[in-house]
Amino acid sequence: MKFKKLISITSSVVLSATLLTGCSSKNEKTNSNLSVGIVLGEGSITDQSFNQATWEGLQKAKEDFNIDIKYLESPQESDYIQNIETLVDQDTDLIIGVGYQLKDAIKESAESYPEQKFALMDETYDKILENVVPVIFKEEEAAYLTGIIAAKMTKTNNVGFIGGMPTPAISKYQYGYKYGVETTNKEVKVAQQYANSFSDQAKGKSIAKQMYASNVDTILSAAGDTGTGAIEAARENNKYAIGVDRDQSYLAPDNVITSALKKLNVASYDLAKSLVEGNYKGGEAQVYGLKEGAVGIPENTNKLVPQEIIDYVNKQAKKVIDGEISVPRTEKEYNDMMK
């Protein structure tokens, strides 16, 4: 039985003896009794990007470890706390907030339920609570590799970037991509625009169409489901697109030349595995990058990208892993490195 929300000493709480004796301890749980639940920020579980990738990791964990998994979507911000409360009431062993939007809700809930295990995907805290595991990625490293590909594949010397919201994670995509483009070919210009949404496919498609009409021929969209609209625009206009988070080549096999992989499925699987093995450790962030094999580009990039370009990308990736190349994560880092 989970310890429920901390209650002020002025409140009176009566627990029946029957209820208390009917609850087994956490140590007595088998894998089939263990459960992991995720609370989504913006977007659906089938966004073909961020949320879906996280869920796929848990689906694999369910197959491997015989655990129970569940998810709750959040149509609006006010649903965050309510959804977390629902999972707590269901005695969910590990609750994962998916996306930066859950940062405050996870913190508040972790303070209120100190015995509950939490994780947060794609954000962290200056001071991490002992019952929270933040998971962050080096998105800039994957974006850097796709920027190299964009610079070498463009026929117009004009490429584009579409962001969902200007969050730290999306900024890492933006400036890693720009750095890859501009350090590969200084003649290439990068058009940039934010959609201010992770779920508006029509907006993503509209922005991409405008960019393609202005001589851009390759676009990286780090925008969740908004980005699928941009990929649709690439397909309709016979232009190049770069996927994000997952291998999105299936959305437009003749147009998506590569994807900036962020293996949220690996991270969510690892979180579930740590729960099953009793190795969950809150209070510190888990960081995933090229070195950990959790970001990069998909193997099928060679379908549309020449092997000599892939060989060059692999060499640059090794330099990042070995510390010979640092990739900017923010506008300031980018500006300092491009001076």
Side-chain angles (χ1 to χ4, degrees):
M1 177 182 179
K2 295 274 190 296
F3 286 88
K4 297 302 180 183
K5 191 170 185 178
L6 292 179
I7 303 172
S8 66
I9 59 174
T10 58
S11 301
S12 60
V13 181
V14 179
L15 293 175
S16 70
T18 302
L19 177 61
L20 288 172
T21 57
C23 294
S24 61
S25 71
K26 187 65 67 68
N27 292 333
E28 295 172 354
K29 281 196 169 186
T30 63
N31 286 358
S32 60
N33 298 129
L34 291 174
S35 58
V36 180
I38 60 176
V39 176
L40 305 187
E42 185 177 350
S44 71
I45 200 69
T46 55
D47 67 350
Q48 303 182 88
S49 184
F50 190 91
N51 295 333
Q52 188 168 333
T54 304
W55 181 240
E56 287 170 347
L58 290 188
Q59 289 176 309
K60 178 169 173 35
K62 178 180 180 179
E63 293 177 6
D64 290 353
F65 306 125
N66 191 31
I67 60 173
D68 183 38
I69 60 173
K70 60 192 82 173
Y71 70 88
L72 293 174
E73 296 181 346
S74 306
Q76 52 195 5
E77 185 176 343
S78 59
D79 294 323
Y80 300 159
I81 291 291
Q82 181 179 335
N83 283 339
I84 292 171
E85 295 272 359
T86 297
L87 293 180
V88 171
D89 289 341
Q90 293 174 356
D91 278 353
T92 307
D93 294 281
L94 174 62
I95 298 172
I96 304 173
V98 183
Y100 76 98
Q101 300 102 326
L102 274 294
K103 180 176 182 178
D104 292 339
I106 290 291
K107 181 176 184 293
E108 180 181 333
S109 300
E111 290 171 341
S112 298
Y113 301 94
E115 299 298 324
Q116 170 70 54
K117 295 180 176 68
F118 291 96
L120 176 65
M121 303 292 280
D122 228 26
E123 255 293 4
T124 188
Y125 304 94
D126 293 333
K127 183 178 180 181
I128 304 171
L129 295 173
E130 291 299 317
N131 58 332
V132 180
V133 176
V135 178
I136 52 178
F137 293 83
K138 295 182 177 180
E139 295 96 341
E140 70 278 7
E141 295 180 349
Y144 168 70
L145 303 183
T146 67
I148 294 171
I149 292 171
K152 287 186 172 291
M153 292 290 288
T154 180
K155 304 293 193 299
T156 65
N157 279 354
N158 288 278
V159 302
F161 172 85
I162 298 174
M165 301 282 284
T167 68
I170 302 303
S171 291
K172 287 190 282 185
Y173 277 120
Q174 180 179 6
Y175 292 104
Y177 177 68
K178 283 191 68 177
Y179 190 69
V181 170
E182 294 173 1
T183 56
T184 301
N185 186 345
K186 293 181 180 179
E187 302 300 316
V188 180
K189 293 179 170 52
V190 183
Q192 304 165 87
Q193 187 170 339
Y194 276 85
N196 294 317
S197 172
F198 288 106
S199 57
D200 191 340
Q201 290 189 22
K203 184 73 174 291
K205 185 174 183 178
S206 175
I207 294 172
K209 286 176 65 177
Q210 292 171 15
M211 284 189 178
Y212 289 135
S214 67
N215 210 31
V216 165
D217 63 0
T218 308
I219 298 174
L220 165 64
S221 300
D225 210 15
T226 300
T228 63
I231 292 173
E232 177 65 11
R235 188 187 65 80
E236 291 181 356
N237 290 273
N238 195 30
K239 303 292 185 180
Y240 288 150
I242 296 173
V244 75
D245 294 340
R246 304 166 73 242
D247 176 6
Q248 293 187 311
S249 59
Y250 65 94
L251 294 174
D254 295 327
N255 307 90
V256 177
I257 56 175
T258 190
S259 296
L261 298 182
K262 179 165 72 172
K263 299 181 182 179
L264 294 115
N265 59 315
V266 172
S268 60
Y269 180 90
D270 286 351
L271 285 167
K273 183 180 179 182
S274 73
L275 177 71
V276 170
E277 296 179 346
N279 296 325
Y280 171 93
K281 184 179 180 182
E284 60 185 52
Q286 295 182 0
V287 182
Y288 289 85
L290 275 175
K291 188 174 183 179
E292 293 75 24
V295 303
I297 60 174
E299 291 184 4
N300 65 7
T301 297
N302 60 11
K303 177 186 175 185
L304 298 176
V305 177
Q307 188 60 45
E308 59 267 25
I309 295 178
I310 294 174
D311 290 342
Y312 179 76
V313 168
N314 288 336
K315 289 179 183 178
Q316 299 307 103
K318 187 176 186 306
K319 289 181 181 179
V320 173
I321 293 170
D322 293 342
E324 296 178 35
I325 293 177
S326 295
V327 184
R329 299 166 296 175
T330 65
E331 182 178 13
K332 183 180 185 306
E333 290 181 358
Y334 167 81
N335 289 335
D336 288 345
M337 295 171 88
M338 293 299 290
K339 286 180 178 178

